[in-house]
Amino acid sequence: MIANLHPALTDAAASARAALADALASHTRAQLEAHDGIGADGTPTMHVDTLVEHRILEDLARHRVNVLSEEAGFLDHGSTCTVVLDPVDGSANAAAGVPLCALSAALAVDGEFRQALTCWLHTGDTWHATVDESCGPDGKPLRPSDATRLDAAAVSLLRPHIDKAAGHAWWEVAKTARRIRVLSCSTVDIALVASGAVDAFADPGSDTHRLVDLAAGVVFARTGGFVLRDLHDRPVTFTTDLTQRWSGIAAATGQLADELATTIHTALTQPPREPPCLSP
Amino acid sequence: MIANLHPALTDAAASARAALADALASHTRAQLEAHDGIGADGTPTMHVDTLVEHRILEDLARHRVNVLSEEAGFLDHGSTCTVVLDPVDGSANAAAGVPLCALSAALAVDGEFRQALTCWLHTGDTWHATVDESCGPDGKPLRPSDATRLDAAAVSLLRPHIDKAAGHAWWEVAKTARRIRVLSCSTVDIALVASGAVDAFADPGSDTHRLVDLAAGVVFARTGGFVLRDLHDRPVTFTTDLTQRWSGIAAATGQLADELATTIHTALTQPPREPPCLSP
């Protein structure tokens, strides 16, 4: 663990793990998947999100930092520090009992992302970083792979969006990459790029990512020496507007990020001449 | 833990966890992914497979059971009992450091599958069953969901095979199901169906599954009350021929298994009239 990590980040992770364990022990899958309304990010709030976020916000109160959280939105406590928070990334996994979900948090100081922590809630595996130092679950600094070519890369993707353009782009990446995974937990996907376990992760043009999905990745990428960018080069910077969207790309190297972006762009803008699922 | 589980199964899991931890601590990703030749199942053996299988076979020797293992093939010790074993299901995940891989083992007595155990190696989460009893990681009996319709189901799939027919079938299932995951670990996918965390898992027609991928699932399905079948209705029964292949379907209910099989069959046999990735 890095020495000078803000305790709000580690406290948020501990609260999330405890809250999720309690939620799973006392609720059915249907109860945890039920919708409690629309969150600040403009998407439905699952009951599991409500339960975990509520506990975290209670526990963070004593730190007197601002909080920007997926469901609650921006809670301004007059601090220079804001914790940008996804209490349960992978809510559908968490609610169902698929043990792939994470708390992810980034600390913005005067609007600059300076620290981050992603904690895989089922195991406690934690990736964290400041601007100077990083640390993976093995206690060693984050070290991405050196993959530069998509056809040699193991790539994680968001689950396919079955609309015309983004679905076609999804398939084009799947067709080209050496290996594809769909874990349904973007912040763990990005953490695995940071660790070198996968070579890249992408939302192939569906504009699904919100700031809370990417904020920790911005810090990991800068400190760990990999690329975190948007498909359309929109800057991933601090904002309190959680309705903003990106198509995030995390990649071990700039070359790999560029090839992914080009592959996706081409698929989004050029309809295929033959059925794409059927071309070799 | 069920009382009368054969100790060869639990010993195999303990050996695999220790061996994998040692392998990850002392080897690079490239070393663990390197191919050591062709295994008894006819596919390349990754070095991580060699390391873990070797340790398990050493530790199982004292039980004097026969062993049918992915790489070593059939080791006949003249017993009525055979442990059918995948030492590391999800080898690519294991070697890369993506923490999704499992030991999976089934005990065949006089050629009948009677006990099974799948252990997620990273966490120790264990699913196990005899013909009478079953137990998930939470200590409770296996309890699949009651999902009957594909459009309401969360489905895990093998990663897409980019050939014409199986690729098209993959996309047809992805297009219809409520949610898709690709975890790249069939035995955990089947265990999650057994637990009710996902509703179904399928190889959509690529005939990738070997006996070691499905054997534990046969026992879990019978005891847990869900369906484990082959797409083409080939019986999944004990054989020492590891080159045999299936397209396994695990589903919470018979209706869901039938709808999955029909969807895949239709896609395999009827070429689409329009680009399948582009149809809404």
Side-chain angles (χ1 to χ4, degrees):
Chain A
M1 182 66 71
I2 293 172
N4 61 346
L5 207 68
H6 196 294
L9 301 183
T10 45
D11 281 4
S15 298
R17 291 198 74 195
L20 181 62
D22 288 351
L24 288 170
S26 57
H27 295 74
T28 65
R29 174 178 165 186
Q31 288 171 329
L32 293 175
E33 286 178 341
H35 287 178
D36 286 347
I38 299 295
D41 67 338
T43 66
T45 302
M46 279 191 196
H47 192 52
V48 68
D49 296 318
T50 306
L51 293 170
V52 176
E53 184 183 78
H54 186 77
R55 176 89 67 97
I56 294 175
L57 295 180
E58 271 184 2
D59 293 349
L60 284 188
R62 64 194 177 88
H63 293 291
R64 302 189 176 283
V65 292
N66 309 331
V67 179
L68 177 67
S69 187
E70 188 181 6
E71 316 304 340
F74 187 55
L75 307 174
D76 188 349
H77 296 122
S79 173
T80 57
C81 294
T82 300
V83 174
V84 177
L85 186 69
D86 195 340
V88 187
D89 180 39
S91 306
N93 285 345
V98 175
L100 278 170
C101 65
L103 167 123
S104 188
L107 182 76
V109 182
D110 289 326
E112 289 285 329
F113 292 124
R114 299 183 65 84
Q115 301 194 351
L117 179 149
T118 294
C119 174
W120 181 5
L121 295 175
H122 188 65
T123 63
D125 283 0
T126 301
W127 295 258
H128 58 284
T130 63
V131 289
D132 304 312
E133 283 183 276
S134 67
C135 184
D138 59 359
K140 297 178 186 160
L142 298 177
R143 190 175 165 194
S145 79
D146 53 8
T148 55
R149 285 175 42 179
L150 185 54
D151 63 3
V155 178
S156 286
L157 290 175
L158 280 195
R159 63 196 170 99
H161 282 71
I162 313 298
D163 64 44
K164 299 189 181 223
H168 175 48
W170 194 99
W171 193 259
E172 286 300 306
V173 175
K175 216 167 65 177
T176 312
R178 181 170 60 83
R179 175 173 286 276
I180 287 294
R181 295 184 180 89
V182 180
L183 304 184
S184 293
C185 183
S186 293
T187 61
V188 165
D189 285 316
I190 294 170
L192 292 173
V193 174
S195 293
V198 304
D199 301 309
F201 165 65
D203 170 354
S206 73
D207 274 9
T208 296
H209 282 139
R210 303 143 309 167
L211 188 63
V212 295
D213 297 309
L214 302 177
V218 170
V219 180
F220 292 152
R222 200 171 46 211
T223 312
F226 65 97
V227 173
L228 189 294
R229 55 168 281 195
D230 169 63
L231 173 66
H232 303 291
D233 289 319
R234 294 164 292 199
V236 185
T237 49
F238 180 73
T239 167
T240 57
D241 175 12
L242 284 181
T243 63
Q244 204 166 316
R245 292 291 184 273
W246 291 266
S247 290
I249 294 176
T253 62
Q255 294 104 301
L256 183 56
D258 289 348
E259 190 180 348
L260 259 170
T262 303
T263 302
I264 297 166
H265 269 303
T266 305
L268 289 177
T269 53
Q270 296 177 4
R273 277 165 304 202
E274 60 179 332
C277 298
L278 303 185
S279 58
Chain B
M1 183 65 70
I2 293 171
N4 62 346
L5 207 66
H6 197 293
L9 300 182
T10 45
D11 282 3
S15 299
R17 290 198 74 196
L20 181 63
D22 288 350
L24 288 170
S26 57
H27 294 74
T28 65
R29 175 177 164 186
Q31 287 171 331
L32 294 175
E33 286 178 340
H35 287 179
D36 286 346
I38 299 294
D41 67 338
T43 66
T45 303
M46 280 191 196
H47 192 52
V48 67
D49 296 319
T50 306
L51 292 170
V52 176
E53 184 184 80
H54 185 76
R55 176 89 68 96
I56 295 175
L57 294 181
E58 272 185 1
D59 292 350
L60 284 189
R62 65 193 178 86
H63 293 293
R64 302 188 177 283
V65 292
N66 310 332
V67 178
L68 177 68
S69 187
E70 188 182 4
E71 315 304 341
F74 186 55
L75 306 174
D76 188 349
H77 296 123
S79 171
T80 55
C81 294
T82 300
V83 174
V84 177
L85 186 68
D86 194 340
V88 187
D89 180 38
S91 307
N93 285 346
V98 175
L100 278 169
C101 65
L103 167 123
S104 188
L107 182 77
V109 183
D110 289 325
E112 289 285 329
F113 292 123
R114 300 185 65 84
Q115 301 195 352
L117 179 150
T118 293
C119 175
W120 181 5
L121 295 176
H122 187 67
T123 63
D125 283 0
T126 301
W127 296 256
H128 58 283
T130 63
V131 288
D132 304 312
E133 281 183 277
S134 67
C135 184
D138 59 0
K140 296 179 187 160
L142 298 176
R143 192 177 164 192
S145 79
D146 53 7
T148 54
R149 286 175 43 180
L150 185 54
D151 63 2
V155 178
S156 286
L157 290 175
L158 279 195
R159 63 195 171 101
H161 282 71
I162 312 298
D163 64 43
K164 297 189 185 227
H168 176 48
W170 194 99
W171 192 259
E172 285 300 306
V173 174
K175 216 167 64 176
T176 312
R178 181 170 61 84
R179 174 172 286 274
I180 287 293
R181 294 184 182 89
V182 180
L183 305 184
S184 293
C185 183
S186 293
T187 61
V188 164
D189 283 317
I190 294 170
L192 292 173
V193 174
S195 293
V198 304
D199 301 309
F201 165 65
D203 170 354
S206 71
D207 274 8
T208 296
H209 283 139
R210 303 143 308 169
L211 188 64
V212 295
D213 298 310
L214 302 176
V218 170
V219 180
F220 292 152
R222 199 171 43 210
T223 312
F226 65 97
V227 173
L228 188 295
R229 56 168 278 194
D230 170 62
L231 173 67
H232 303 291
D233 289 319
R234 293 165 292 200
V236 184
T237 49
F238 180 73
T239 167
T240 57
D241 175 12
L242 284 181
T243 64
Q244 205 167 316
R245 292 291 183 273
W246 291 266
S247 289
I249 295 176
T253 62
Q255 294 104 302
L256 183 56
D258 289 347
E259 190 180 348
L260 260 170
T262 302
T263 303
I264 297 167
H265 269 300
T266 304
L268 290 176
T269 52
Q270 296 178 4
R273 277 165 305 201
E274 60 181 333
C277 298
L278 305 184
S279 58

